[in-house]
Every structure is written in C-alpha cells, then in structure tokens.
C-alpha cells in the first residue's frame, strides 16, 4: 500500500515557460526596460528600514495606497497579491464550489483553465476568432445559455491583443448582474479601455492589474485586484497571511511613486509595439499580422513552428502556440532589429529545409 495521487492531478499539464539563455527574449511579454538607476538607489537606501526579522505587513497597506493613488481610486477597493496568479487562484478557490461553471475565451491566458480545473470546476470555452473583434453579444448569449458562476478573460486579450471596449464591458456587467466577472487588465497600461476606476461601483466585477508588464518588475511578483469593498473584504479574509514579502512591498511602493517615469516608459513600449506591427507587415505574403492593445503582436502562419524553431536557433525566443500562431513581445530597437534580420533570412530561404 502507498499513498496514491489523484489521476486528475497526475494528468494536469503545468504552465511551461521557455527556459534557457537567449540573446533576445521576446517570449514572455516582459518589459525591455531595466529599472532606472535612480529608482534602484532609492530602493537600496530603503533596505535599512526593513525589519527582516519581522513578518511583513499582512495587508500591504503602503503599496496598496501607492497603487490606488497612482490610479486615482479608493484604497479600500484594492488588495495586493503575489503576482496576479495568486489573485486568480484565490478568486477561483473562494468564489466557486466543486462543479460550478467557469466561462473563458479560447484563446486566452491558460492559467484560467488550470486553476479552474484544480478547483474541480467545469470550464466552458467560448471560441474567440482572433481575426475579428470579440463579439460581446455572442458572449452574452453563451453566458445566458451556460449559466456560469464566473466569467474570466484578459482585456487586452493575451495572446491575441484584442481589446473589448469599456462600454462593452459595462454592457456585460449590466446584462449579467448575477455573474462574477474577472477582467484581467494585465496589459491595459498599453491600451485605453480600462474599467478600473468604476469597478467599485459594480457588485459583480473584479479587475486585475500587475507590475510585471508595464512597470518592468516581473521578478518581484506583485499584482492587484480592484473591486467593491464587499468582494475585497472577503478576499482579505481568506488570503494567505503575509502573502507579499517586505522587499516586494517596499520596492513596489517606490516604483509606483515615480509616475512620470513610468508613463514615459509605457509610451516608449507602445511605440515599439507599433514599430513591431509595422515591421512585420513586410512579410504579409507569409504571415497574417493582427493589431494589438498589448505589448506584443499576434501572428498566424502555417509556418509558425518552423519560424519559431529557426528563431530559437538564432538565439531569439518568441512564443509558439499549437494553432499555427506566434506571439512576439515588443523589444527595444536592437532586439527588434535582430528579429527582423532573422525573419528576412527565414523568408528569403523559404524553400530550404
């Protein structure tokens, strides 16, 4: 006799990021900026103020205040998480029961399904044709037919870059008032359709944000959820104690206090995304390129796996999906130049194996 792990757990497929060293990383939608020296010096100076022998602030009050202030929202409507992933998992674990239904889009961020499967929820995937705008009326119909407990999607959509307008998000919330919507705005710093400032006015929505993309701070694992006080209070009751370490809280607070520098970096990332989109247009006889509201561009081509493998051999990592699509993160000038140079060679030698 021995302890047996459930078969459903053994069969689960983990999230698998690309590992290894590459001269150009355009696979994970990270910022191509490093943290500026003046902010690093400010952070280094602040380390002496951290009581490393004590547990961190259990409610991350300072960094939540800084985030709320930077977004001009009520701090009581904010909770911090160890990356958005912790918050996604927390929401699914807390607001679902075994067998409840979760509705997601396909394609979308794979961890929505992963955490739902872990919770023993029934996952309903609504096909999202990535070559046209997301059909909100079709989404409402799917919700009315399937009656999920939670609807969760990213906006802008990862990986397609599609953006649902603020007005259409409001329409969803109003049309389905008894459904909890989780709107993951991880990439909304690169777009302009956020509902962050009105999330507290609805009983049925939680909005997620992250420091990993626009703020060049993926390594510190810091995210936020914004909602009405009742939902946030419930999440605070059941979250893990001391879930955000003191170093992350301090660094996040400092980073959020530099709003003008953050704004300038975001503007540069948007310009480089648009340059990437324009540059990829030269290959439209081989690939289809989709406009994006994120910090990445989505591409479809029957040669997706070949292109992915050849770029890897050139030391350039992008993201490959099994449906003959690729997602390419915006890089700096040098990185995108290297990408285009490799793509020129790939398409010039299209007949070679």
């Amino acid at each position: 006799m021995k302890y047996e792990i459930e078969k459903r757990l053994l069969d689960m497929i983990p999230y698998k990021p690309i590992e290894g060293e590459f001269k150009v990383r355009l696979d994970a939608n990270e910022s191509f900026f490093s943290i500026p020296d003046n902010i690093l010096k400010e952070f280094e100076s602040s380390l002496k103020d951290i009581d490393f022998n004590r547990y961190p602030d259990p409610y991350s009050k300072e960094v939540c205040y800084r985030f709320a202030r930077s977004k001009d929202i009520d701090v009581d409507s904010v909770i911090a998480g160890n990356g958005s992933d912790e918050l996604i998992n927390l929401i699914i674990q807390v607001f679902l029961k075994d067998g409840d239904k979760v509705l997601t889009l396909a394609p979308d961020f794979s961890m929505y399904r992963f955490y739902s499967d872990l919770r023993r929820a029934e996952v309903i995937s609504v096909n999202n044709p990535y070559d046209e705008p997301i059909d909100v009326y079709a989404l409402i119909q799917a919700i009315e037919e399937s009656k999920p407990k939670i609807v969760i999607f990213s906006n802008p959509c990862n990986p397609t870059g599609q953006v649902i307008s603020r007005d259409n998000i409001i329409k969803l919330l109003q049309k389905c008032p008894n459904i909890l919507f989780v709107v993951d705005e991880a990439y909304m710093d690169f777009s302009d359709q956020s509902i962050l400032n009105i999330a507290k006015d609805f009983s049925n929505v939680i909005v997620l944000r992250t420091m990993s993309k626009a703020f060049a701070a993926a390594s510190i694992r810091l995210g936020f959820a914004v909602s009405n006080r009742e939902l946030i209070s419930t999440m605070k009751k059941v979250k893990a104690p001391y879930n955000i370490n003191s170093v992350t809280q301090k660094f996040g607070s400092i980073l959020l206090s530099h709003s003008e520098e953050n704004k300038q970096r975001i503007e540069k990332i948007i310009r480089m995304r648009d340059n990437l989109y324009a540059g990829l247009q030269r290959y439209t006889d081989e690939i289809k390129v989709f406009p994006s509201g994120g910090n990445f561009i989505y591409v479809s081509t029957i040669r997706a796996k070949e292109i992915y493998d050849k770029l890897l051999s050139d030391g350039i990592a992008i993201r490959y999906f099994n449906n003959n699509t690729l997602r390419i993160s915006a890089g700096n000038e040098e990185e995108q130049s290297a990408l285009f140079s490799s793509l020129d060679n790939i398409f010039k030698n299209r007949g070679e194996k």
Side-chain angles (χ1 to χ4, degrees), residues 327-342:
R327 190 194 65 201
I328 308 173
S329 307
N332 60 29
E333 288 87 350
E334 183 180 354
E335 290 168 333
Q336 291 190 179
S337 177
L339 171 72
F340 290 134
S341 178
S342 289

Side-chain angles (χ1 to χ4, degrees), residues 2 48 83 110 116 168 180 197 226 241 283 286 344:
K2 69 171 187 175
K48 66 180 183 298
S110 62
S116 298
N168 276 335
L180 178 60
N197 66 336
V226 177
Y283 313 114
E286 294 278 0
D344 286 344

Side-chain angles (χ1 to χ4, degrees), residues 27-93:
D27 59 299
N29 297 343
E30 299 154 320
S31 173
F32 55 77
F33 282 104
S34 298
I35 300 296
D37 287 342
N38 64 308
I39 296 178
L40 289 177
K41 288 178 181 177
E42 186 176 345
F43 172 59
E44 182 180 0
S45 176
S46 75
L47 289 175
K48 66 180 183 298
D49 298 325
I50 296 176
D51 293 324
F52 285 94
N53 60 319
R54 303 297 182 190
Y55 286 110
D57 173 5
Y59 296 109
S60 306
K61 292 187 288 294
E62 181 185 4
V63 73
C64 284
Y65 167 77
R66 291 289 183 183
F67 175 78
R69 185 176 179 183
S70 73
K71 301 300 182 184
D72 195 24
I73 58 177
D74 187 347
V75 69
D76 290 336
S77 66
V78 179
I79 184 174
N82 189 0
S84 296
D85 276 278
E86 183 194 18
L87 296 168
I88 294 166
N89 191 28
L90 179 66
I91 291 165
I92 288 171
Q93 297 302 320

Side-chain angles (χ1 to χ4, degrees), residues 89-97 119 150 234-235 238-239:
N89 191 28
L90 179 66
I91 291 165
I92 288 171
Q93 297 302 320
V94 170
F95 296 111
L96 289 177
K97 301 186 298 294
R119 184 63 184 86
I150 289 178
T234 301
M235 292 175 68
V238 297
K239 75 171 185 64

